[in-house]
Amino acid sequence: MKKLLLNLGFILTAVWIALIIMEGKNILLGFKEPIDFYADDFDINKNHDGERISADIPLCLGECATHTVTKTSYGSTSKTKTSYYVIPAVAPNVEYYFYICIEVKGKDRDKFEDLTNLTLNGEYGSIKVDGKLKKLENQAYEYMVELFEEAEFFESKEELDFYVLPLCFEDVDFSFAKGCFIAIIISFIGSIAVWISYFVTLSKEKKMIAANKATFQTNYPTQNFEDNVVICGKPYPKHLFESVDNSLKAGENIAAISTLRQITGISLEEAKEVIDNWCIYYF
């Protein structure tokens, strides 16, 4: 029981810590009011770290880079493809658009391809996203710059450097983040309950061991209780039960019961009772 509680405590603790590490920032953002990316007072050049941002994207200049991650697990291989599409951004009192990238997962790629086609035909579209801004990877930024250079979109390198920003809009599933928050609360409360049960059980075991030692010293004052094990009222040399203890440490309860019965000759029911409370006997 004690070992089960210990393992369960570690698992539940690891779960809520891992969720905080992976989704902690998104969970905090999920409870914030989103800022409109295309509002008149939104300035793309300011630091927006820690802010939740929503956007209704009207234009897309196409894909400038892709990133594929390949994972192999238990003999199977999976690939996750992330595309970077160029979208416009705004700043107050500036004549032209700024341009940044947006991360697009495989399932949303068709929507951005459709928006790109509309843009090339001089039309507007609409893709709603909710997420945050972060720094764009260097290689993806270089590809975006090359896209503008090849299209001769800007008249000078200085103009390109000014309007093409190394920023990336990351679309975030905040409903998933809120689900993780609930999982964190449940696993945290569960881990506290399990750890309390573990330490209560540990305390009871220590008290039972102390009581058993006291009983042994009273009943067998001439013997050293550290070198003996009392099974069903009869003392045995402790070294005889090393194999029983090793079997229990290895999780082999049946083998431990069998060995214990061979040594002591006690019944199966008695052996099970001893094994279930082994720490009281073998200390």
Side-chain angles (χ1 to χ4, degrees):
M1 181 63 177
K2 185 177 69 175
K3 187 175 181 180
L4 176 63
L5 289 172
L6 183 64
N7 291 335
L8 186 58
F10 278 123
I11 291 171
L12 290 174
T13 301
V15 167
W16 66 261
I17 290 176
L19 287 174
I20 288 176
I21 292 172
M22 292 186 298
E23 289 291 325
K25 190 172 183 179
N26 290 342
I27 290 171
L28 292 176
L29 289 177
F31 290 98
K32 288 187 174 183
E33 191 69 25
I35 300 171
D36 186 359
F37 187 65
Y38 290 110
D40 293 337
D41 58 349
F42 184 86
D43 192 344
I44 189 65
N45 290 302
K46 290 184 178 180
N47 182 11
H48 296 284
D49 186 38
E51 293 180 348
R52 178 180 174 182
I53 300 171
S54 64
D56 193 354
I57 303 173
L59 303 172
C60 182
L61 299 188
E63 183 183 52
C64 68
T66 59
H67 179 66
T68 303
V69 176
T70 303
K71 292 183 180 180
T72 302
S73 178
Y74 301 104
S76 62
T77 301
S78 61
K79 292 184 178 181
T80 303
K81 182 178 179 181
T82 301
S83 299
Y84 294 89
Y85 282 80
V86 181
I87 62 172
V90 295
N93 304 317
V94 176
E95 184 178 355
Y96 301 104
Y97 280 124
F98 287 93
Y99 293 94
I100 67 170
C101 278
I102 182 170
E103 278 186 356
V104 178
K105 303 299 181 183
K107 62 184 179 63
D108 295 324
R109 193 170 180 273
D110 289 343
K111 293 191 297 185
F112 280 87
E113 283 294 319
D114 292 340
L115 183 59
T116 299
N117 292 330
L118 285 174
T119 302
L120 294 177
N121 291 327
E123 301 177 40
Y124 288 94
S126 177
I127 297 179
K128 293 183 178 181
V129 293
D130 193 4
K132 59 186 179 181
L133 286 176
K134 65 179 184 179
K135 188 179 184 301
L136 181 63
E137 294 179 5
N138 291 337
Q139 192 171 21
Y141 177 67
E142 291 172 4
Y143 287 142
M144 181 167 62
V145 169
E146 288 178 7
L147 179 70
F148 282 102
E149 287 176 339
E150 291 174 0
E152 298 181 349
F153 199 89
F154 295 102
E155 294 181 358
S156 66
K157 182 68 165 59
E158 291 75 17
E159 193 177 66
L160 187 152
D161 291 339
F162 181 75
Y163 285 106
V164 179
L165 306 178
L167 293 175
C168 181
F169 194 111
E170 180 184 359
D171 189 8
V172 178
D173 184 357
F174 288 110
S175 60
F176 175 77
K178 288 182 178 179
C180 288
F181 177 67
I182 295 172
I184 288 171
I185 293 175
I186 293 173
S187 57
F188 177 76
I189 294 174
S191 67
I192 295 298
V194 169
W195 283 120
I196 290 174
S197 298
Y198 170 75
F199 286 113
V200 168
T201 301
L202 190 64
S203 177
K204 287 181 179 179
E205 283 188 355
K206 287 181 179 180
K207 289 179 180 179
M208 292 175 72
I209 289 171
N212 203 43
K213 285 181 178 181
T215 301
F216 185 83
Q217 286 179 314
T218 301
N219 295 335
Y220 306 94
T222 61
Q223 300 189 49
N224 184 355
F225 65 86
E226 296 291 351
D227 297 326
N228 291 274
V229 176
V230 178
I231 305 293
C232 296
K234 182 178 178 182
Y236 297 88
K238 189 173 183 178
H239 68 84
L240 293 177
F241 299 95
E242 288 180 0
S243 58
V244 176
D245 192 56
N246 290 334
S247 294
L248 284 174
K249 288 178 179 178
E252 300 170 352
N253 287 29
I254 295 177
I257 292 172
S258 177
T259 304
L260 179 64
R261 294 190 67 199
Q262 290 175 10
I263 296 171
T264 61
I266 61 177
S267 67
L268 177 60
E269 185 176 350
E270 290 173 325
K272 286 181 178 179
E273 177 67 23
V274 171
I275 292 300
D276 287 341
N277 300 279
W278 184 243
C279 65
I280 299 174
Y281 297 90
Y282 191 86
F283 41 79

